[in-house]
Amino acid sequence: MRIRRAAAVALVAGTGLAAVTGVGSAAASPAHRPHVVKTLPGDYIAPLQFAVSGRTVAVADSGASALYLVGHPKPIAFGGTPTKNPEASGDLAGVDVEHGRIGYTQSNADHTDTRFTVLHHGKKVLQVSLSRYEKHHNPDGRITYGFTDPSKVSDTCREQMKTAGLDVVYRGQVDSHPYAVAGLRDGSWLVADAGGNDILRISQRGHVSTVAVLPPQTVTIGSELAGRFGVTACIGLRYRFEAVPTDVEVSKGGIWATTLPGGAGGLGSVYRVGWSGWTHRVATGFAEATNLAVSPSGRIYVVQLGQGVFTPTKHGPKLVAALPGAAAVEWANGRLYASTAPAVTGGTGPGHVVVLK
């Protein structure tokens, strides 16, 4: 499944869905609500991912399909050719900085050529094909998506689903859209592939392996979905949506990921991922969860696209910092950084990277 720059297509109703399991005291409501104290130099179209390491700030501008370093006006790398149609556009999406090296992902328009590249002192020192890995391995190919019990799907529901362009049931398809990157201390890298629904690991020498496949999100089709897509005969049936990981982070040796399973309405989740492949949903109920950060103390911060930065609590997501056009968040240098992309969320003006305090 492809990430849409404007917003995810709302496939299900479920605005009341909100649950947290195992978050603990790290999700307690902050006494102080951070606000913007500084805007870093640089105007961007859609800075949906960025990374901070010391004084280095790398920005992946998906709208321009280009990679920038804050303080340098010219791009240091380019991705696939961007177009006005986000569903048929190449991009440069994920980025991270580790040990002075910059790792980033790029995709062409139809996702048949997706790559992970590492720059060091401005030179390419590694490049691997993630689309080739997806084609040969398709890690989520054994997972069944769609209705949990096809025998309960009426002929009318099937016809309505066909008209809406939605599958009744299907296996994980070959689709690579690398969307987020996390550098590891040993020189390897993690990549969240939103198309493949998995977390990949790329070694220093370019060997690609699967760390984990994110599980499907099972929900009950509600009246909002039925009315929006004309599938009224399917109300009440349960459907497995693809996970669609949108970010990956490493904190205290653990892997964290956000998912945006096909729509808004409280379906976004945060997962803890084990190096052996296990996954555990830590929190859910986020609307359009596009990015996350984890502080050294274990506090989780999640961006709800266009709204701001939230943290999970026992009562659902709680606003930490209102930020119109919010797109991504990072924890670095003892504070929060965030990016804004008004053009993605229906606003006007350029996007920026800001410091919160």
Side-chain angles (χ1 to χ4, degrees), residues 33-328:
R33 178 167 290 181
H35 60 281
V36 176
V37 295
K38 183 178 181 180
T39 299
L40 302 185
D43 294 343
Y44 310 101
I45 301 173
L48 301 184
Q49 300 277 0
F50 71 98
V52 183
S53 178
R55 295 183 179 182
T56 301
V57 182
V59 181
D61 188 342
S62 293
S65 193
L67 178 63
Y68 293 88
L69 291 179
V70 168
H72 300 268
K74 295 183 179 180
I76 62 172
F78 292 93
T81 304
T83 69
K84 293 183 178 180
N85 178 7
E87 291 303 293
S89 181
D91 67 10
L92 189 152
V95 64
D96 200 12
V97 181
E98 186 69 28
H99 297 311
R101 300 185 176 218
I102 302 174
Y104 66 93
T105 64
Q106 58 195 102
S107 305
N108 67 344
D110 62 4
H111 296 183
T112 57
D113 183 8
T114 66
R115 306 177 187 183
F116 172 75
T117 304
V118 178
L119 297 178
H120 189 50
H121 297 310
K123 296 182 179 180
K124 291 182 181 180
V125 295
L126 179 68
Q127 187 171 80
V128 297
S129 173
L130 300 181
S131 52
R132 183 181 304 157
Y133 182 83
E134 170 70 10
K135 181 179 180 180
H136 290 166
H137 298 275
N138 188 19
D140 77 333
R142 296 181 179 181
I143 294 181
T144 300
Y145 302 104
F147 289 107
T148 58
D149 188 352
S151 67
K152 294 183 179 180
V153 181
S154 67
D155 290 341
T156 303
C157 174
R158 291 177 183 272
E159 286 299 320
Q160 291 177 347
M161 291 288 288
K162 182 178 180 180
T163 300
L166 300 174
D167 294 313
V168 172
V169 63
Y170 65 100
R171 291 290 184 91
Q173 303 169 351
V174 174
D175 180 16
S176 175
H177 188 190
Y179 197 72
V181 177
L184 302 177
R185 293 181 179 179
D186 67 357
S188 61
W189 305 80
L190 297 179
V191 173
D193 194 314
N197 299 304
D198 51 37
I199 305 296
L200 305 176
R201 185 171 186 170
I202 296 94
S203 72
Q204 295 185 63
R205 295 186 178 183
H207 174 73
V208 184
S209 59
T210 303
V211 176
V213 175
L214 278 300
Q217 173 83 60
T218 303
V219 297
T220 300
I221 296 178
S223 58
E224 183 180 344
L225 167 64
R228 187 172 300 169
F229 289 94
V231 291
T232 53
C234 307
I235 292 176
L237 300 179
R238 292 179 64 75
Y239 196 93
R240 296 189 187 97
F241 289 92
E242 297 181 41
V244 191
T246 55
D247 197 14
V248 60
E249 296 287 344
V250 176
S251 178
K252 291 186 176 181
I255 305 172
W256 304 80
T258 44
T259 63
L260 179 58
L267 297 178
S269 300
V270 177
Y271 281 88
R272 185 75 183 269
V273 179
W275 295 100
S276 61
W278 56 262
T279 61
H280 172 65
R281 191 168 68 178
V282 174
T284 191
F286 294 96
E288 298 187 2
T290 56
N291 210 259
L292 88 156
V294 183
S295 75
S297 66
R299 186 183 296 280
I300 301 170
Y301 299 93
V302 178
V303 163
Q304 291 192 168
L305 185 65
Q307 300 178 41
V309 180
F310 291 72
T311 191
T313 74
K314 294 180 179 179
H315 304 291
K318 184 176 181 64
L319 180 67
V320 173
L323 189 63

